[in-house]
Amino acid sequence: MAAVANLSAGAAEPTVKPLAAACYDNNLVNSQGMFLGDQPLRFALPLLLVQVSVILVLSAAAHVVLRRLGQSRFVTHMLVGVFLGPTVLGRSESFRGVLFSERGTYILESVSLVALILFLFSMGVKTDLSLLRRPSGRAVAVGITGALVPLAVTLPVFHALQPSLPEDLRGSSLVTELAVRLSLSSFPVIADALSDLDLLNTDLGRIALTASLITDVTSWFLRACSAAVFLVSEAKSPAFTAQILASFVAFVLFVGFVARPAGRYIAYKRTPAGSLLSEGSFVVVVIAALLSALVTDAIGFKYMIGPMMLGLALPGGMPIGATMTERLDSFFIALFLPVYMALSGYRTDLSKPEASTEKWCALELFVALCVSGKLVGCVAAGLFFAMPFRDAAVLALMLNIRGIVEVAAINNWGDTMKATAEHYSTLTLSMVLITAVSTPLIKLLYDPSGQFVKAKRRTLEDARPSADLRVLTCLYSEDHAAPLIDLLEASGASRDSPVSLIVLHLTELVGRAASVLKPHRKSSNSGGNPTPSDRIVNAFRYLEQQQASPGAITVSPYVAQAPYSSMHHDVCSLAHSRKANLILLPFHKSSDGARSTANNAIRSINRAVLQYAPCSVAILVDHGLAAGSACATSANSLLQRVALYFLGGPDDREALAYAARMPEAGGVSLTVVRFKLRNWVGMGGRDEVRDEEVLHDFWTRHRDNERVVYVEKTVEDAEGTASVVRSMSEKFDLLIVGRRGGDDDLEGSAALTSGLSDWSEFPELGVLGDMLSSAEFASKVSILVIQQQPAKSTAAGRASSIND
């Protein structure tokens, strides 16, 4: 009735949503069908299904085009809404009356608001508040400066220009609330955008997430306090004031002292380790999220505060966060959250020629001041901490990305009449343009792998034979531990030639919004049951303790959680910071003797590491070592007979440098097989000369070692090479080969494998490695393929050969 009264009185400004009540028969839910005379789209359910289908189909089709331009799904959904709205298709009254009538949009909006509530709850669960325990100085400075500078610029300008502004802005709090909202960065929005850009686990991505979390948590707290102050100021008596404060305090206490312990009990007591929530527990958690929104809305606070607070109180990761991702995000939220954004775009009306240019320019001025102020503040803070200007600019662009949280705020301003229809259209279009410009610029300006390409290459060939061998060992599961430990045990570690192991357990990021790369600490939430990371680290600690020479092997364990698509960033970053000589990776295929399984995500990571690593890379193809001891010793090592096939080139020299360490400890016999092409005179190139020098130095150092055998094999062609390899390989436990990929192959050694790569299945293993890993050669012999990371001039050739 109030809405009708407002309408009859004649509002001074057009509102975002229609004020007149949509009168319709509330029994029109299910149609009897058009063959019985019904018009299905006059009924609520058929209309809802058609609306959702139209929005999702158009969004999917538009995103196919817009993603090639570097645009996010947020931009796509908003533009689809604009396309359906009065700006384009909605100009037709018949189109609006059939598909987007007032009663139809009310139902659609109600369902989409439920999706928004569950989205905020899910993001709260996935938010890792541990990022706030020890934030870096750069993150704190960027977050605070990026929030204060736009406020310091915009608010004084607003007060100075206030007398000359249009009347609807002059006496409204819209500009102040806009300045506060745009000065902040929303953690859910930034996390979602960086995930789409595959930048979650980059250096700048982590700084942006921490900075946004600092300002976002602060803003939620201040927002709750301001809402409480407003409600108290509007209270009619001290009794009402006491009720408001008591209600909010009771809710906060309930979340902290009832919901949080209950959530931890469900996660760590009722749910088995590594499993998702049971159906009953999942339903309880979702109902709690919906009720939290109901409670905060009922006591006068915004409905968004309750789900966010409850989500932050519950433990993320496994199992609650993972269950939200698996059962909620992938269906309900993915289905109806785009509808919410499309409806926001639908209300954006850019077709009115009578819109005031003065009003538009005034509001855009303050948007521009907020955005530019945030850019300047973030860049200044980054430069203060000696960041390169380009990195500081990219960080500022990341923190300026806008999304659904900003749109929800604008919708709220429209609901409370703070924003007219003109204001609403201007602001929503501004949010779309800011994000539409920021994301392509980030892709253009920031290459996270560039720092590794520019880094100094560390190789085994250039290291002293007795130098500390720094190996970054990567594992994706517990099954990878045994063969890698056996290989490392056979690597000739001693007090005079120590091995420093950096053990990195890589797991997919599930149930959290921010990636993790940190030293391993024993889990305190496992209830006495060790986690997979704990068991992996225990195995390597046992290897460290069982060495005959104390200090021969030292272990530094790390854990990383990241999306598979960008996991190689963590591997390369850790190798760079810890100055590793070698990255040791497990092959993506494994066999238990009865069947073979492959993980293509692991294969993609391995290929990316081969392309971008700042040091040498080795891939271990296990053909039987997984059944070996969890920690072999020199007396019972499964790797006692090792062969190196040397054809020439930097990769083979790197393989020789690694293999030469094995006989030093006395537990491994090494056979070096040098292949020569018959009647090959040689061109006297740098690589050929270097090959001869390395082989001569190796044999001079090991000629008196009875465990070292050097053999030369002369062959006619690649078929002869394959024949020798086939006849000799079964005599050994491990075969070491160079990858020999890209443009650095020698003309003579290339002839030794010419034609063998025509049927290559795994180019990342090189010609010999691929041949040895095939079914024809598969046996109890494992293969270690080593690549010496090329210089910058040859990196492009290596990349093309890896990706073939």
Side-chain angles (χ1 to χ4, degrees), residues 6 87 213 224 342 439 458 466 519 605 658 679 681-682 711 719 738 742:
N6 286 339
T87 304
L213 184 59
T439 49
R458 289 181 294 276
S466 59
I605 298 167
Y658 182 80
N679 300 325
V681 178
V711 179
E719 185 178 347

Side-chain angles (χ1 to χ4, degrees), residues 274-549:
S275 301
L276 298 179
L277 293 180
S278 65
E279 183 176 350
S281 299
F282 171 69
V283 171
V284 168
V285 170
V286 172
I287 291 175
L290 297 176
L291 290 178
S292 67
L294 172 64
V295 170
T296 50
D297 191 65
I299 63 178
F301 292 79
K302 298 302 178 186
Y303 62 87
M304 296 184 291
I305 292 179
M308 199 68 187
M309 288 181 60
L310 180 62
L312 290 173
L314 298 181
M318 290 291 291
I320 298 181
T323 306
M324 295 299 107
T325 301
E326 182 74 19
R327 299 178 182 171
L328 198 63
D329 296 4
S330 59
F331 175 68
F332 187 81
I333 293 178
L335 193 65
F336 289 104
L337 201 62
V339 173
Y340 180 84
M341 290 183 280
L343 280 176
S344 301
Y346 176 83
R347 300 188 194 100
T348 302
D349 189 358
L350 307 176
S351 64
K352 295 181 179 180
E354 66 273 12
S356 171
T357 303
E358 181 184 4
K359 294 180 181 179
W360 183 88
C361 291
L363 199 54
E364 282 297 325
L365 169 65
F366 296 113
V367 172
L369 285 174
C370 291
V371 173
S372 58
K374 193 169 186 64
L375 287 172
V376 170
C378 293
V379 170
L383 294 178
F384 178 80
F385 281 87
M387 291 179 63
F389 177 79
R390 173 175 286 197
D391 287 356
V394 169
L395 184 58
L397 289 172
M398 289 178 175
L399 292 172
N400 254 314
I401 293 175
R402 304 300 167 182
I404 190 169
V405 173
E406 286 74 23
V407 168
I410 296 172
N411 278 328
N412 178 61
W413 298 335
D415 293 341
T416 55
M417 307 296 182
K418 293 177 182 177
T420 65
E422 292 179 9
H423 296 155
Y424 182 91
S425 298
T426 301
L427 292 177
T428 52
L429 182 62
S430 299
M431 299 306 104
V432 173
L433 289 177
I434 291 170
T435 304
V437 171
S438 297
T439 49
L441 281 178
I442 292 171
K443 283 187 174 182
L444 179 66
L445 296 176
Y446 185 45
D447 178 15
S449 302
Q451 59 175 319
F452 310 126
V453 175
K454 298 175 184 177
K456 179 183 178 181
R457 299 299 193 246
R458 289 181 294 276
T459 67
L460 301 177
E461 180 185 356
D462 296 330
R464 300 189 311 273
S466 59
D468 182 15
L469 176 62
R470 306 180 69 85
V471 181
L472 172 58
T473 306
C474 302
L475 305 92
Y476 302 98
S477 70
E478 296 176 67
D479 294 336
H480 295 147
L484 289 172
I485 286 176
D486 285 324
L487 173 64
L488 293 166
E489 174 62 31
S491 298
S494 64
R495 180 180 297 180
D496 296 329
S497 184
V499 174
S500 296
L501 280 183
I502 305 113
V503 178
L504 178 61
H505 181 205
L506 295 159
T507 56
E508 185 181 12
L509 182 68
V510 178
R512 293 190 183 276
S515 65
V516 174
L517 176 61
K518 61 183 180 180
H520 172 267
R521 296 288 183 270
K522 187 175 180 180
S523 176
S524 59
N525 297 324
S526 57
N529 297 321
T531 64
S533 295
D534 293 336
R535 290 190 288 269
I536 287 173
V537 172
N538 289 340
F540 280 90
R541 290 293 188 195
Y542 187 70
L543 168 70
E544 179 183 31
Q545 296 167 5
Q546 292 301 306
Q547 296 302 303
S549 302

Side-chain angles (χ1 to χ4, degrees), residues 647 677 717-721 740 745 747-759 767:
L647 282 72
L677 190 65
D717 50 22
E719 185 178 347
T721 302
R740 306 178 66 252
D745 285 346
E747 183 179 348
S749 63
L752 293 170
T753 56
S754 177
L756 295 180
S757 61
D758 294 344
W759 297 277
V767 177

Side-chain angles (χ1 to χ4, degrees), residues 586-648:
F587 192 46
H588 72 279
K589 291 184 69 175
S590 59
S591 175
D592 59 4
R595 59 190 179 90
S596 178
T597 58
N599 188 323
N600 288 327
I602 293 178
R603 185 186 184 193
S604 298
I605 298 167
N606 289 352
R607 288 157 69 105
V609 172
L610 282 168
Q611 182 175 351
Y612 297 115
C615 60
S616 298
V617 182
I619 297 179
L620 176 63
V621 183
D622 174 46
H623 280 164
L625 296 184
S629 60
C631 179
T633 64
S634 59
N636 65 359
S637 175
L638 297 179
L639 296 179
Q640 297 182 0
R641 299 167 300 169
V642 178
L644 166 69
Y645 293 141
F646 190 98
L647 282 72

